[in-house]
Amino acid sequence: MKKLYTAVGRTQVNGNKDGRYPLVILNNREYILDLHEFTLWTILNWKILTEAEANICYKKKQTELGCLSSCSFDACMYRMIQRGLVAEGAGETAEDALYNLLSELCIIPISENLLLRAVSFIRLTLFHGVPFSVTRRIFSKDRRTPDEKKVMHLANQASLSTAEIIKCVESNALDFANEDQLMDMLYHDDMTTCDNIAEVTRNLPASRSVLTSIANLFLRKQIIFERL
């Protein structure tokens, strides 16, 4: 049985001059993490790792922090999965595991606000001493395949799960006047529901291309995952 893991939500640093602390925002709810939890979440953020890969990274980071024996990888992983901050996908093959990992996660595009990107670029280059060659690479426009463009186009219209995006692409339904029209396309029959759509779309021809596109966009830090 193959297993894959990834982080869910986005990180944010709160506090004031007297102290700052990191937390994760998931579905507009704030989760405060201890050192071990935040270490594991950070390891999995914008990555898709096997259990062995995550374990190696976790132990290496704990050694660097000097807290190797305080909290085991298995205990921390279990706690993070229970809290919903880490997603797990299991399957007989790597493709099955990836599908089970991503199919029910919601795709949220990272903001492409040009002014925000310009300000961040200037701040890092001029005030934080990051070399221009590095910041240019970080803030260069993402080059997307036609399938990746379809995924982003749909995700920018509504909060959709991977399975819902697969169904939209399979039906070549890429534009919607409103949410009612979208829901009617996704759930127009008496069999498909939000609880079983991941199984309905599993073997559709568009499944592999959409799954690959979403995984690549995530690894290139173009999207984050939320839960419906």
Side-chain angles (χ1 to χ4, degrees):
M1 181 69 70
K2 309 218 179 259
K3 291 184 178 181
L4 295 173
Y5 299 88
T6 194
V8 184
R10 60 183 175 85
T11 188
Q12 178 176 302
V13 178
N14 279 13
N16 50 42
K17 61 181 181 179
D18 298 321
R20 299 172 68 80
Y21 57 92
L23 48 81
V24 171
I25 310 294
L26 179 60
N27 292 347
N28 297 317
R29 180 179 174 183
E30 296 182 352
Y31 291 83
I32 298 176
L33 278 59
D34 65 24
L35 176 62
H36 312 290
E37 292 171 334
F38 191 69
T39 297
L40 181 57
W41 190 91
T42 303
I43 287 168
L44 293 170
N45 187 32
W46 280 318
K47 295 183 184 70
I48 297 173
L49 301 179
T50 65
E51 187 173 15
E53 290 169 338
N55 194 357
I56 291 171
C57 292
Y58 180 76
K59 289 180 177 178
K60 180 180 179 181
K61 184 60 68 174
Q62 280 202 317
T63 300
E64 294 173 3
L65 297 172
C67 54
L68 185 59
S69 60
S70 348
C71 181
S72 72
F73 170 80
D74 290 338
C76 189
M77 179 66 83
Y78 176 80
R79 194 160 66 221
M80 292 293 281
I81 291 173
Q82 291 301 305
R83 298 182 73 183
L85 301 174
V86 167
E88 176 187 52
E92 292 298 324
T93 67
E95 187 172 347
D96 287 338
L98 184 63
Y99 184 87
N100 292 332
L101 177 72
L102 303 183
S103 60
E104 297 183 4
L105 294 180
C106 186
I107 311 306
I108 306 296
I110 299 296
S111 172
E112 295 187 342
N113 185 291
L114 293 179
L115 177 61
L116 179 61
R117 288 171 63 87
V119 170
S120 299
F121 178 86
I122 293 170
R123 182 180 299 164
L124 287 173
T125 305
L126 299 183
F127 299 105
H128 294 280
V130 179
F132 174 75
S133 59
V134 175
T135 52
R136 182 179 60 181
R137 186 169 64 252
I138 292 173
F139 292 102
S140 61
K141 185 174 179 60
D142 188 54
R143 296 181 180 179
R144 296 168 184 162
T145 67
D147 288 331
E148 290 170 356
K149 290 178 181 178
K150 290 179 183 179
V151 168
M152 294 296 281
H153 182 70
L154 287 163
N156 276 307
Q157 293 183 68
S159 295
L160 297 169
S161 70
T162 296
E164 290 173 331
I165 289 176
I166 290 171
K167 187 167 184 179
C168 288
V169 173
E170 178 69 23
S171 303
N172 198 30
L174 304 179
D175 292 287
F176 302 94
N178 50 55
E179 189 172 340
D180 288 340
Q181 187 183 66
L182 171 60
M183 291 298 105
D184 184 58
M185 196 286 299
L186 290 170
Y187 302 106
H188 64 277
D189 57 72
D190 295 331
M191 297 178 58
T192 308
T193 69
C194 58
D195 294 321
N196 69 9
I197 190 169
E199 289 306 313
V200 171
T201 61
R202 180 182 293 274
N203 296 314
L204 292 179
S207 178
R208 176 173 290 186
S209 63
V210 171
L211 201 65
T212 301
S213 297
I214 289 173
N216 286 335
L217 287 166
F218 181 67
L219 296 176
R220 296 206 309 272
K221 304 181 180 180
Q222 299 300 301
I223 59 174
I224 62 172
F225 295 133
E226 288 266 8
R227 294 189 183 276
L228 292 177

